[in-house]
Amino acid sequence: MIVAERKTIPELVEILKPHKKILALGCGTCVTVCLSGGEREVSIISSALRIASRVQDLSFEIDELTIERQCDNIFIEQAAEAIQKADAVLSTACGAGVQAIAERFPQKPVYAGLNTTFLGILEERGIWTEKCAACGACVLHKYGGICPVTRCAKRMLNGPCGGSREDRCEVRQDRPCAWQLIYKRLKDINQLERLKEMEPAKNWNPSLSGGPRTLIRDDHRV
Amino acid sequence: MNANNAEPKIVAFCCHYCAYAAADLAGSGRLQYPPNIRIIRSPCTGRLEINFFMKAFEAGADGVLVAGCEEGSCHFKEGNYLAKGRVNATKQLLQEAGLEPERLRMVNVSAASSQKFAEYVREMVETVTKLGPASNKKTNTKEQTGAIQ
């Protein structure tokens, strides 16, 4: 899922200051699951903004709405009326959702209420960790299902780097060494032989280096 | 509470199994504590969400007291630990929004601790009285929904 965290209230007040009628628009998918931009979080952020507005003598009028997905036109339509009524939209979706709303409503200022952080999973209650860098050329099959591009701080494809201590990463000692995990995993599934293969330098073309990516599926087009 | 009326309004969320029973016992035992609190009984403090506290402040509360079981003796095992985290997160939010975090406090009382409950209420009223009215009530009071009476 996409993981995000909320911007601070002073940051949001600064962004929203020029506006009066604001729609706080939540998203019911990834950011609901990572507890940063769903219906409940929209309610919390809106309350905080109303309090801040009164404390600072601003005149925010905040409406709240949460739709199933902000990155999908079908669901955006359900918010159209509320968006038209507002002077500005504070979207608590990921960056994709915010941009989808902005594209659909060219005359309406749309602001991001969250910082979109990474693609990851819920590790344990209240802890999310990054697992995928969306590099565009997956190598997980070679590394026992553990991604060195994302989880090795040095992104080494031929690791380990030699700097790890015990099973800890040299760069961040609160994180495990990805290469230690890869070794253990390959050993467990009897694929240690894979480590004898030299991996050439990664081709970053499918990644962001070529600008924003587009995926076209002719089998789904008419 | 406003400038003309110095009586603070405090919302107390009390857990059914401990703090609410302590408040009840305080009543039965005729213990005196300030009448500034409005008690809301909750099945467990773990049921309380951050937006419950925020809504209370938004609706005009000057302070919010969250009273749960003693740590380690929650009827639902970990509800009061959940509440503790949420109270701390709300304090951070209040500070960001411009209200003093001391306006929100979590306490732990057993069902038998009526004296302690009364003392916590007195302390809370004292703290909030010192802080004065919550400054988010200065303007736009019309906008507040479900204002606390």
Side-chain angles (χ1 to χ4, degrees):
Chain A
M1 96 186 100
I2 297 169
V3 180
E5 54 187 344
R6 76 168 171 88
K7 287 183 185 286
T8 65
I9 301 303
E11 273 180 282
L12 294 179
V13 168
E14 201 52 41
I15 291 169
L16 297 168
K17 243 179 190 168
H19 306 288
K20 190 177 176 198
K21 290 171 80 173
I22 296 152
L23 175 69
L25 186 61
C27 179
T29 312
C30 308
V31 291
T32 292
V33 181
C34 73
L35 307 176
S36 54
E39 192 173 6
R40 177 173 44 193
E41 290 72 31
V42 160
S43 162
I44 293 167
I45 291 170
S46 299
S47 279
L49 285 172
R50 286 187 198 107
I51 291 171
S53 162
R54 291 184 201 133
V55 170
Q56 298 179 35
D57 277 336
L58 302 169
S59 52
F60 290 163
E61 286 171 21
I62 301 166
D63 278 334
E64 301 169 24
L65 178 69
T66 299
I67 57 174
E68 193 63 34
R69 268 204 293 284
Q70 285 190 29
C71 55
D72 202 325
N73 281 340
I74 291 287
F75 297 106
I76 294 175
E77 274 173 22
Q78 295 165 8
E81 200 184 329
I83 291 172
Q84 295 296 1
K85 280 185 197 161
D87 299 337
V89 179
L90 176 69
S91 160
T92 61
C94 68
V98 176
Q99 292 181 62
I101 300 285
E103 277 171 23
R104 283 297 300 273
F105 300 91
Q107 311 298 325
K108 201 66 68 178
V110 180
Y111 303 110
L114 306 179
N115 294 322
T116 306
T117 320
F118 54 76
L119 296 183
I121 62 161
L122 181 69
E123 199 78 51
E124 56 183 86
R125 189 194 282 183
I127 298 177
W128 290 265
T129 50
E130 185 171 15
K131 297 290 184 200
C132 177
C135 71
C138 191
V139 290
L140 279 171
H141 58 288
K142 295 178 182 170
Y143 300 101
I146 292 159
C147 179
V149 180
T150 314
R151 295 167 69 180
C152 168
K154 302 176 184 177
R155 299 187 174 188
M156 294 193 76
L157 295 183
N158 298 289
C161 65
S164 58
R165 309 238 170 101
E166 300 294 334
D167 62 345
R168 299 283 99 186
C169 172
E170 179 184 41
V171 178
R172 284 192 53 191
Q173 290 187 4
D174 60 330
R175 301 300 304 155
C177 166
W179 273 94
Q180 175 74 24
L181 297 176
I182 290 168
Y183 177 82
K184 188 176 178 309
R185 172 85 176 137
L186 288 178
K187 195 175 174 189
D188 288 348
I189 58 173
N190 293 320
Q191 291 188 9
L192 270 180
E193 287 297 305
R194 284 186 180 277
L195 293 181
K196 288 183 179 162
E197 290 163 29
M198 200 66 180
E199 186 64 20
K202 185 171 172 59
N203 175 9
W204 286 96
N205 272 345
S207 186
L208 266 177
S209 48
R213 292 165 278 185
T214 306
L215 176 66
I216 300 171
R217 288 275 304 268
D218 286 331
D219 53 334
H220 285 274
R221 291 181 63 80
V222 282
Chain B
M1 184 165 82
N2 57 46
N4 303 323
N5 173 15
E7 286 299 319
K9 284 175 190 162
I10 294 166
V11 174
F13 291 100
C14 294
C15 140
H16 166 78
Y17 289 92
C18 293
Y20 191 84
D24 207 22
L25 188 62
S28 309
R30 301 194 186 285
L31 287 178
Q32 294 291 312
Y33 60 80
N36 307 67
I37 64 164
R38 313 287 191 274
I39 293 182
I40 296 173
R41 180 168 62 166
S42 164
C44 172
T45 48
R47 172 65 188 92
L48 304 171
E49 309 260 1
I50 294 174
N51 42 350
F52 292 14
F53 311 138
M54 295 303 285
K55 287 284 171 208
F57 283 108
E58 208 189 317
D62 297 297
V64 172
L65 183 67
V66 179
C69 301
E70 298 279 6
E71 289 192 358
S73 63
C74 171
H75 187 78
F76 299 100
K77 292 188 177 175
E78 55 177 22
N80 49 0
Y81 292 113
L82 286 170
K84 189 179 174 183
R86 291 172 192 166
V87 164
N88 288 337
T90 312
K91 280 169 177 270
Q92 170 69 31
L93 264 169
L94 288 176
Q95 192 153 30
E96 287 181 22
L99 287 184
E100 300 85 354
E102 296 79 20
R103 292 185 184 278
L104 174 64
R105 185 184 179 192
M106 177 157 184
V107 296
N108 302 90
V109 282
S110 78
S113 306
S114 53
Q115 293 276 6
K116 213 168 158 185
F117 179 80
E119 186 55 36
Y120 282 139
V121 173
R122 276 194 288 275
E123 281 176 18
M124 191 68 193
V125 172
E126 197 180 314
T127 305
V128 175
T129 307
K130 270 186 198 157
L131 290 171
S135 48
N136 64 311
K137 295 197 298 183
K138 279 189 303 193
T139 56
N140 298 347
T141 43
K142 270 188 291 180
E143 194 194 303
Q144 293 174 15
T145 50
I148 295 166
Q149 298 303 310

